[in-house]
Amino acid sequence: MNETAYRSWQTLHDRWAKGESLTPEEQATYEAGCAELDAEEILPGSLSNLQNIHAKAKELDVQIARAQAESAALRAQIAETEARLSEPTRRRLGISTS
């Protein structure tokens, strides 16, 4: 989109964003400008790169969830084991409850 067309589109966009009504012709021009700007949008990297990043993020989310579950299980095991310790042993370990 050239500069002149962009300025015209921007005026329509500002009106639309403020909730003003556009005539059917203005609405068509506005929507065509939106489509043109969307088509011109350049994403950093390729779409396949973006898909790979999404996949990696999902993989990391799964790993985090597993690690959190493992951590919770270990903390439960620790609490159970510490509950069976005598008070002198707890004091020696620095986990005394008193």
PDB file of all heavy atoms in Angstrom, residues 87 90-91 95-98:
ATOM      1  N   GLU A  87      12.455 -36.403  67.235  1.00  0.00           N
ATOM      2  CA  GLU A  87      12.745 -34.982  67.403  1.00  0.00           C
ATOM      3  C   GLU A  87      14.250 -34.716  67.429  1.00  0.00           C
ATOM      4  O   GLU A  87      14.708 -33.756  66.784  1.00  0.00           O
ATOM      5  CB  GLU A  87      12.066 -34.437  68.660  1.00  0.00           C
ATOM      6  CG  GLU A  87      12.150 -32.925  68.791  1.00  0.00           C
ATOM      7  CD  GLU A  87      11.583 -32.162  67.602  1.00  0.00           C
ATOM      8  OE1 GLU A  87      10.590 -32.587  66.996  1.00  0.00           O
ATOM      9  OE2 GLU A  87      12.152 -31.093  67.277  1.00  0.00           O
ATOM     10  N   ARG A  90      15.448 -34.789  63.880  1.00  0.00           N
ATOM     11  CA  ARG A  90      14.961 -33.596  63.171  1.00  0.00           C
ATOM     12  C   ARG A  90      15.827 -32.387  63.504  1.00  0.00           C
ATOM     13  O   ARG A  90      16.153 -31.604  62.611  1.00  0.00           O
ATOM     14  CB  ARG A  90      13.521 -33.291  63.541  1.00  0.00           C
ATOM     15  CG  ARG A  90      12.531 -34.245  62.972  1.00  0.00           C
ATOM     16  CD  ARG A  90      11.155 -33.808  63.367  1.00  0.00           C
ATOM     17  NE  ARG A  90      10.205 -34.851  63.090  1.00  0.00           N
ATOM     18  CZ  ARG A  90       8.908 -34.681  63.081  1.00  0.00           C
ATOM     19  NH1 ARG A  90       8.405 -33.506  63.347  1.00  0.00           N
ATOM     20  NH2 ARG A  90       8.114 -35.674  62.818  1.00  0.00           N
ATOM     21  N   ARG A  91      16.146 -32.229  64.789  1.00  0.00           N
ATOM     22  CA  ARG A  91      16.980 -31.084  65.182  1.00  0.00           C
ATOM     23  C   ARG A  91      18.352 -31.175  64.515  1.00  0.00           C
ATOM     24  O   ARG A  91      18.868 -30.182  64.032  1.00  0.00           O
ATOM     25  CB  ARG A  91      17.114 -31.023  66.707  1.00  0.00           C
ATOM     26  CG  ARG A  91      15.944 -30.354  67.385  1.00  0.00           C
ATOM     27  CD  ARG A  91      16.273 -29.978  68.816  1.00  0.00           C
ATOM     28  NE  ARG A  91      16.619 -31.125  69.656  1.00  0.00           N
ATOM     29  CZ  ARG A  91      15.748 -31.861  70.327  1.00  0.00           C
ATOM     30  NH1 ARG A  91      14.465 -31.575  70.302  1.00  0.00           N
ATOM     31  NH2 ARG A  91      16.154 -32.892  71.049  1.00  0.00           N
ATOM     32  N   ILE A  95      15.414 -29.539  60.819  1.00  0.00           N
ATOM     33  CA  ILE A  95      14.006 -29.507  60.416  1.00  0.00           C
ATOM     34  C   ILE A  95      13.068 -29.621  61.611  1.00  0.00           C
ATOM     35  O   ILE A  95      11.934 -30.021  61.489  1.00  0.00           O
ATOM     36  CB  ILE A  95      13.694 -30.625  59.394  1.00  0.00           C
ATOM     37  CG1 ILE A  95      14.066 -31.985  59.955  1.00  0.00           C
ATOM     38  CG2 ILE A  95      14.384 -30.357  58.073  1.00  0.00           C
ATOM     39  CD1 ILE A  95      13.612 -33.160  59.103  1.00  0.00           C
ATOM     40  N   SER A  96      13.548 -29.225  62.757  1.00  0.00           N
ATOM     41  CA  SER A  96      12.763 -29.340  63.960  1.00  0.00           C
ATOM     42  C   SER A  96      11.483 -28.531  63.854  1.00  0.00           C
ATOM     43  O   SER A  96      11.452 -27.429  63.309  1.00  0.00           O
ATOM     44  CB  SER A  96      13.580 -28.838  65.156  1.00  0.00           C
ATOM     45  OG  SER A  96      12.823 -28.942  66.342  1.00  0.00           O
ATOM     46  N   THR A  97      10.394 -29.112  64.388  1.00  0.00           N
ATOM     47  CA  THR A  97       9.102 -28.427  64.342  1.00  0.00           C
ATOM     48  C   THR A  97       8.872 -27.578  65.582  1.00  0.00           C
ATOM     49  O   THR A  97       7.902 -26.855  65.657  1.00  0.00           O
ATOM     50  CB  THR A  97       7.946 -29.440  64.238  1.00  0.00           C
ATOM     51  OG1 THR A  97       8.031 -30.365  65.323  1.00  0.00           O
ATOM     52  CG2 THR A  97       7.992 -30.167  62.915  1.00  0.00           C
ATOM     53  N   SER A  98       9.756 -27.671  66.566  1.00  0.00           N
ATOM     54  CA  SER A  98       9.555 -26.876  67.794  1.00  0.00           C
ATOM     55  C   SER A  98      10.489 -25.695  67.856  1.00  0.00           C
ATOM     56  O   SER A  98      11.271 -25.413  67.059  1.00  0.00           O
ATOM     57  CB  SER A  98       9.747 -27.746  69.027  1.00  0.00           C
ATOM     58  OG  SER A  98      10.929 -28.505  68.951  1.00  0.00           O
TER      59      SER A  98
END
